[in-house]
Amino acid sequence: MKIDDELLSVRAAELYYDEDKTQDEIGAILGLTRWKVGRLLATAKQRGFIRIEIVHPRARRLGLERALGERFGLADAVVVPVGDAADAAEVAARVATAAADHLTALRPVPRTLGISWGRTLLSVANALPEGWASGVAVVQINGGVSVNRRSGTAAATAVEIARKAGGGATLLPSPAILERVETKRSIESDRTVAGILDLAASADVYLFSAGATTPDSAHIESGYLRRDDMEELVRRGAVGDVVGRYIDADGRIVDPGLDERTVGLPLERLREAARTIAVVSGAEKVAVARAIVASGLCTVLVTDEGIANALLAAVHPPDDPGGSQDSSPRHPSRRTTT
Amino acid sequence: MKIDDELLSVRAAELYYDEDKTQDEIGAILGLTRWKVGRLLATAKQRGFIRIEIVHPRARRLGLERALGERFGLADAVVVPVGDAADAAEVAARVATAAADHLTALRPVPRTLGISWGRTLLSVANALPEGWASGVAVVQINGGVSVNRRSGTAAATAVEIARKAGGGATLLPSPAILERVETKRSIESDRTVAGILDLAASADVYLFSAGATTPDSAHIESGYLRRDDMEELVRRGAVGDVVGRYIDADGRIVDPGLDERTVGLPLERLREAARTIAVVSGAEKVAVARAIVASGLCTVLVTDEGIANALLAAVHPPDDPGGSQDSSPRHPSRRTTT
DNA sequence: CGGCGTCCTGCTCACATGAGCACAGCGGCC
DNA sequence: GGCCGCTGTGCTCATGTGAGCAGGACGCCG
């Protein structure tokens, strides 16, 4: 393209978008036919001279969403733009709101909703509108934080979500990680706990977040893990935790011994479930987000633009060059009952 | 408007602008009629959820230009967006380019072009394309800097502009400010100088920049003024200089004594001229820019978005409440030959 | 309880726009 | 030098879009 055309297209774009002139008028002003003007505008858009941005806390990035969905075989994806957000907390809040919106719009309305807990899910709970659904039974799917923190977080999340849906919350009365396998076994065999785990396994929708392997992890803050435990996990390839279980980049359990002492739904149940919603935001969680989507832990990912871009930027076969499996049904064990 | 409509309009905007869907399709997706979608988009635009930005070094801000033109009775205005420009130098370069563009597009092509000198005008000279016009006589309209700087700047500017237009440059061989009035008088009465000043007074287009009252003013750097001279000028209300003459916020000469010793075209000549182009950029020049446009020193202002906004933000009568004169023909002495 | 004004909705119609097509000018290639 | 393909241009036509209008719902007030 000639340099002159570039200038003209910019001038045309100014007149069209800033001045609300019609392409015909612009043609008259610049001495061009209106078709030429149309073409100039098209190239200007294509070459990125015209930037259209939707600035709203609840705006989403649909292009990224579709790309994510196709790339990782998700049923749905929600990507929140970072835009001019001041800090990570604001982005996290937007992601939580988006997750709440998604949950509210979910059809069919879940009968039983399994949830994990954490800062993220608490935000989601708070962002849900009163009466976002009706008659939803909420059940915790992994052991709680209530041991040596004020019992707030974990229980409050479940109760809030349930209350706003006019349903009941079932809490899992157990620590997240126990010190001895025997204790974990005996807790699980307790009638109450076993019943709750059965209920959790029968949920039709799961909602969970993920933890990074950073020192401010809830597991460390709550005393379930020490810093050097975490460092050891990282050495062994951990990228983060999902419902209390630490996984590597391939979504596999990093430390079976530790996992044996962790109370809650096994990850396989999440991989089988028809609808699992993962809510993840923040640069430190890119790795765990990648593990989640790559290993089929969720069918719906709610995240921020930064993570979405990072997930898509990872090298991937331009046209499946010798890939070991075809791309579409990446997780054949997934039920497809909608 | 209901909160729901806000959400819907954002969703609709996403689909329309990010996804290139038609309003009809969006209607189908969201369960609305296409007219409703159109209205939602309109309100979204109006309420600023949709930001359309033209990102190009040569883009302009036409809305501001028109506002400036109307507000100050300018024949034309060119406003360059600041956008994501890294620093003031980049903005200044864009403004210079815009001025060069304006000059190139000027019709009728000037026969004689009177110019001042300075960093800004040198940039303009460099930004002009070869052959931007043909047969233009360029003449300096104020005394030069050539005294104790290497003779470059002032002369180079004029020569470059003239060369690129295939015309000749006439330099004003005189210091900008003399120490004694008598010297100034005798220089002006010199045949050569007088002839050049006559030529300068007969130019049909003037192009000039403005100086701020900062310590890095060319007048100080060139030794025409001392720092305390400048401070004294500021105390007396000076906001900057135009073709070497210091003016206050109303465009009046601040120090007649100093002005008497300044060689060059009187400001009155600029105010009478049919076409005078002022090129001003940088936050430190807002005050002098305001003085220029408010006192009718230019018919065309080329500037940056920052200055433009500052000029328009100044309080002004919402509907001429007891103003001493009507608003449109603010400078009745201006020739209107165009 | 009824009348009235206001806001909102869905429509018709005129206009703006983009896709697709035919043709002209130009450069490379035989 | 002539032929061929390519790019760029102006057009026709189908579609997308916004202005203006009529009817209905809602709330306010008598």
Side-chain angles (χ1 to χ4, degrees):
Chain A
M1 178 184 286
K2 281 173 301 189
I3 179 72
D4 252 14
D5 267 18
E6 181 171 322
L7 249 179
L8 276 177
S9 68
V10 171
R11 192 95 6 120
E14 290 162 354
L15 291 162
Y16 192 70
Y17 290 103
D18 285 350
E19 294 288 282
D20 287 325
K21 297 220 182 294
T22 158
Q23 297 185 0
D24 222 352
E25 293 176 288
I26 296 170
I29 292 170
L30 300 180
L32 305 165
T33 62
R34 71 188 184 78
W35 297 283
K36 176 77 179 169
V37 174
R39 278 179 252 251
L40 285 174
L41 287 172
T43 60
K45 223 188 256 176
Q46 184 214 323
R47 299 178 78 195
F49 297 158
I50 298 162
R51 187 186 297 161
I52 300 181
E53 211 179 339
I54 293 160
V55 285
H56 192 282
R58 287 197 172 183
R60 291 162 53 182
R61 297 300 312 271
L62 296 161
L64 285 176
E65 294 178 4
R66 195 169 35 185
L68 273 182
E70 286 179 11
R71 175 80 175 284
F72 296 104
L74 303 175
D76 205 350
V78 178
V79 177
V80 165
V82 175
D84 48 6
D87 55 1
E90 187 181 335
V91 173
R94 289 188 190 175
V95 170
T97 307
D101 286 346
H102 181 82
L103 208 53
T104 306
L106 202 60
R107 292 294 177 279
V109 174
R111 207 177 41 79
T112 308
L113 172 67
I115 64 164
S116 69
W117 50 263
R119 281 184 287 264
T120 306
L121 278 204
L122 184 58
S123 302
V124 175
N126 289 329
L128 278 169
E130 298 287 337
W132 66 272
S134 54
V136 176
V138 176
V139 55
Q140 284 184 336
I141 61 178
N142 60 331
V145 76
S146 37
V147 213
N148 67 359
R149 262 253 191 281
R150 68 170 177 278
S151 60
T153 319
T157 304
V159 169
E160 181 80 350
I161 295 178
R163 183 185 64 75
K164 285 180 171 171
T170 306
L171 306 178
L172 182 60
S174 158
I177 303 175
L178 297 166
E179 290 184 2
R180 304 191 312 126
V181 183
E182 293 74 26
T183 326
K184 189 257 195 177
R185 295 244 170 84
S186 61
I187 276 201
E188 275 191 348
S189 62
D190 174 88
R191 274 259 304 282
T192 322
V193 172
I196 294 170
L197 285 174
D198 279 353
L199 178 62
S202 76
D204 40 9
V205 174
Y206 294 96
L207 174 70
F208 64 92
S209 182
T213 51
T214 45
D216 64 338
S217 147
H219 281 144
I220 290 183
E221 291 198 345
S222 308
Y224 292 124
L225 292 177
R226 294 194 318 274
R227 278 173 170 247
D228 48 342
D229 293 330
M230 185 69 87
E231 282 162 17
E232 172 62 16
L233 282 169
V234 170
R235 250 193 305 280
R236 295 172 68 172
V239 294
D241 80 282
V242 173
V243 293
R245 304 180 187 276
Y246 282 84
I247 57 176
D248 64 15
D250 296 322
R252 280 189 290 261
I253 296 298
V254 169
D255 180 344
L258 171 65
D259 204 64
E260 268 294 287
R261 295 185 282 116
T262 305
V263 178
L265 219 56
L267 295 185
E268 276 321 306
R269 175 66 192 99
L270 288 181
R271 293 205 172 92
E272 292 163 13
R275 188 155 232 129
T276 54
I277 305 168
V279 187
V280 189
S281 90
E284 74 281 9
K285 292 189 179 169
V286 168
V288 66
R290 182 176 292 122
I292 289 172
V293 293
S295 71
L297 276 166
C298 71
T299 64
V300 178
L301 177 66
V302 182
T303 191
D304 60 56
E305 202 176 352
I307 288 186
N309 280 319
L311 294 184
L312 291 168
V315 281
H316 88 289
D319 209 347
D320 198 25
S324 55
Q325 57 183 39
D326 58 345
S327 58
S328 302
R330 203 160 281 205
H331 318 298
S333 69
R334 171 85 55 202
R335 281 190 233 145
T336 48
T337 33
T338 300
Chain B
M1 176 183 291
K2 282 172 302 189
I3 178 76
D4 252 15
D5 267 18
E6 183 172 321
L7 249 179
L8 275 177
S9 67
V10 171
R11 192 99 1 124
E14 291 162 354
L15 291 162
Y16 191 71
Y17 290 104
D18 285 351
E19 294 288 282
D20 287 324
K21 297 221 182 291
T22 159
Q23 296 185 0
D24 222 351
E25 292 176 286
I26 297 170
I29 293 170
L30 300 180
L32 305 165
T33 62
R34 70 184 186 79
W35 299 282
K36 176 76 178 169
V37 173
R39 273 170 248 227
L40 285 174
L41 287 173
T43 59
K45 223 189 256 178
Q46 184 215 323
R47 299 179 76 194
F49 297 158
I50 298 162
R51 186 186 297 163
I52 300 181
E53 209 179 340
I54 294 159
V55 286
H56 192 282
R58 287 197 172 182
R60 290 162 56 181
R61 298 299 312 273
L62 296 161
L64 285 176
E65 293 178 3
R66 195 169 36 187
L68 273 182
E70 285 178 11
R71 175 81 174 283
F72 297 105
L74 303 175
D76 204 350
V78 178
V79 177
V80 165
V82 175
D84 48 6
D87 54 2
E90 188 180 334
V91 173
R94 288 188 190 175
V95 170
T97 306
D101 286 347
H102 180 81
L103 208 55
T104 305
L106 201 61
R107 294 292 178 277
V109 174
R111 207 177 41 80
T112 306
L113 173 67
I115 64 165
S116 69
W117 51 263
R119 281 183 286 263
T120 307
L121 279 203
L122 184 57
S123 301
V124 175
N126 289 329
L128 278 169
E130 298 287 337
W132 67 271
S134 52
V136 176
V138 176
V139 55
Q140 284 185 335
I141 60 178
N142 60 331
V145 74
S146 39
V147 213
N148 68 357
R149 261 248 191 288
R150 67 171 178 277
S151 59
T153 319
T157 304
V159 169
E160 182 78 350
I161 295 178
R163 184 184 64 74
K164 285 180 170 172
T170 306
L171 306 179
L172 183 59
S174 158
I177 302 174
L178 297 168
E179 288 184 5
R180 303 190 313 127
V181 183
E182 293 75 26
T183 324
K184 189 259 195 178
R185 295 242 170 83
S186 61
I187 277 202
E188 276 192 348
S189 62
D190 174 86
R191 274 256 305 282
T192 320
V193 172
I196 295 170
L197 285 173
D198 280 354
L199 179 62
S202 75
D204 39 9
V205 174
Y206 294 96
L207 174 70
F208 64 92
S209 182
T213 52
T214 46
D216 64 339
S217 147
H219 281 143
I220 290 181
E221 291 199 345
S222 308
Y224 291 123
L225 293 177
R226 293 194 318 275
R227 277 170 170 249
D228 49 341
D229 292 331
M230 185 68 87
E231 283 162 16
E232 172 63 16
L233 283 168
V234 171
R235 252 193 303 280
R236 294 171 71 171
V239 294
D241 81 283
V242 173
V243 294
R245 303 179 188 278
Y246 281 84
I247 58 176
D248 63 16
D250 296 323
R252 280 189 290 261
I253 296 298
V254 169
D255 180 343
L258 172 65
D259 205 65
E260 267 294 288
R261 297 186 280 114
T262 305
V263 178
L265 220 55
L267 295 185
E268 276 321 309
R269 177 67 193 99
L270 289 180
R271 293 205 172 90
E272 293 162 11
R275 188 157 230 128
T276 55
I277 306 167
V279 186
V280 188
S281 91
E284 74 282 7
K285 292 189 179 169
V286 168
V288 66
R290 183 177 291 122
I292 288 172
V293 293
S295 71
L297 276 167
C298 71
T299 63
V300 178
L301 177 67
V302 182
T303 191
D304 62 58
E305 203 177 349
I307 288 186
N309 280 319
L311 294 183
L312 290 168
V315 282
H316 88 289
D319 209 345
D320 198 23
S324 55
Q325 58 184 38
D326 58 347
S327 57
S328 300
R330 200 159 281 206
H331 317 297
S333 69
R334 171 84 56 200
R335 281 190 233 147
T336 50
T337 30
T338 302

